[in-house]
């Protein structure tokens, strides 16, 4: 089952501010906000401060199954998640295209921020250090992959810098 172009997908690395921005967009647009972590029930399969994913394919299958149970075809959604994740070895890895084929986004957006700021936010939140070099590599991979997916699906690509999501709201 492919969703009916009723999902605006907003990606970005951990700690970049996707959730906060999505709540604001949801309040202003009326779109229903879902987080990939909530949909796949990340808290059931991992600790919240664990950013490594043992099996990306399995988690994405769980995400799609969760979305199939939640998405109503006549409703519009804002889904925040990732284009790439850190695999079990801490190496940035793209999420399989099939996941995005199912999601079938009508807009691809990405939240971008200075990785040093993100590392500080994550350290405060998770009480552990993060390698800025890895975060930068992950963010760069996410940006390139988001552009690729936008092109593949012929949908708008929006970059959200400094929490400025007005260009996205204009398209929604």
């Amino acid at each position: 089952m492919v969703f009916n172009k009723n999902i605006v997908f907003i990606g970005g690395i951990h700690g970049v501010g996707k959730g906060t921005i999505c709540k604001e967009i949801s309040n202003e647009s009326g779109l229903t906000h879902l987080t990939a972590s909530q949909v796949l029930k990340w808290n059931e399969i991992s600790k919240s401060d664990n950013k490594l994913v043992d099996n990306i394919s399995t988690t994405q299958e769980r995400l799609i199954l969760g979305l199939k149970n939640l998405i109503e075809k006549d409703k519009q959604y804002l889904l925040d998640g990732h284009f790439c994740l850190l695999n079990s070895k801490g190496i940035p890895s793209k999420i399989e295209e099939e996941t995005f084929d199912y999601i079938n986004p009508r807009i691809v957006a990405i939240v971008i921020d200075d990785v040093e700021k993100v590392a500080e936010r994550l350290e405060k939140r998770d009480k552990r250090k993060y390698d800025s070099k890895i975060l930068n590599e992950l963010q760069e991979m996410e940006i390139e992959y988001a552009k690729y997916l936008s092109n593949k699906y012929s949908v708008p690509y929006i970059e959200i810098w400094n929490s400025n999501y007005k260009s996205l709201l204009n398209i929604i």
Side-chain angles (χ1 to χ4, degrees), residues 8-58:
V8 173
F9 189 87
I10 297 186
I13 62 175
H14 296 285
V16 77
K18 295 180 303 294
T20 301
I21 288 169
C22 285
K23 285 176 192 159
E24 292 174 16
I25 293 170
S26 179
N27 287 340
E28 291 185 44
S29 69
L31 296 179
T32 300
H33 175 213
L34 301 171
T35 71
S37 295
Q38 289 170 329
V39 173
L40 60 81
K41 299 180 180 170
W42 183 250
N43 62 335
E44 291 179 6
I45 56 177
S46 183
K47 293 180 180 174
S48 63
D49 67 344
N50 178 23
K51 305 302 180 221
L52 304 181
V53 180
D54 288 333
N55 188 321
I56 292 174
S57 293
T58 302

